[in-house]
Amino acid sequence: MSDIASQVGVSHATVSLVLNEAPGKRVSEKVRERVLAVAEELGYQKTVPANDPISGIIVLLIDDLMASQHAAPLIEGVRSAAEEQGLAALTVVTGGQVEFAESILDYLGRRQIVGVIYATLITQLAPVLPSKLGNYPAVLLNCHQQRAEFSSIIPGDHAGGYAATEVLIKAGHRRIAMIDAGRQRLEAARDRLSGYRQALTTYDIAVDPELILSEAWSLDLGREKMLQLLDLPLPPTAVFCFSDRVAMGAYDAIRMRGLRIPDDISVIGFDDESLARKILPPLTTLKLPHEDMGRWAVTELLEKVMQPKKPPVRLKMECQLILRASIAPPP
């Protein structure tokens, strides 16, 4: 799959989606045809053991539902992909309690479990996993391990941070700020900031520490940090915000200073929350691929069911750039 990805010029995740015939519109028909053509040129053959049809339930263990708006796409991706395979998906909220997860697997283990998908709402190295996870085919969703015992998939936050910064650079901006979450445990925050830095250096733009403000993960904090940036002797002409909520706070601050978006300053967010397309002007952002990640997790899990010795894979799925009206050339 790596050879195919390299020759086509797409990610490993995209090749996996095509070769595993994962449904959905994430991969265009043109890319799908190209991947299949290159796979045929390279002699790729998919071997499927002659097993009986898979039946039973897929258990989705998730640590929380209330902490983020991102729970629904993860659950829906798993549910819809399981349904298409004639399987039921059972979602269990563990509250991050390993002992509770163990007891659930004990209880459900007396039923017919196809496999387990272990998910976290915050992208991170997997916390302590239930020991009984090893008793079933399992996939990690939105979390991963240092030493891969299970296949895993997470968003490509570094590439997303790079893409967000690059679109501002290509619009003509050179003084680009970032309002960052800054929480050390947030892998997404570290990766998005790393992508921002890499994009600047790639385009030979100096990274100015004065333009990077941390500890912002809410609308109120986004407003506060944006006001600080606008009070600089030489304010930025564009700002990349850690999340859409932070960007909405930045919108407030910009208007409080009597400035216009994007005429005076361009703004880009991350996550593609529902309000991002409704605020004025609609916010350019990056869409987290949570639903597609959930669908991939089911596909990978069933591959593991059919091929128990299949080695684990670790994938990062691209975050799609959603261009709207909040970016323009610098004044």
Side-chain angles (χ1 to χ4, degrees), residues 48-64:
V48 179
N51 291 350
D52 293 332
I54 298 171
S55 61
I57 61 172
I58 292 174
V59 179
L60 171 61
L61 297 177
I62 189 165
D63 58 349
D64 197 2

Side-chain angles (χ1 to χ4, degrees), residues 117-135:
I117 296 173
Y118 187 94
T120 60
L121 280 187
I122 296 175
T123 305
Q124 60 184 294
L125 277 172
V128 177
L129 296 172
S131 59
K132 291 182 173 59
L133 208 59
N135 296 343

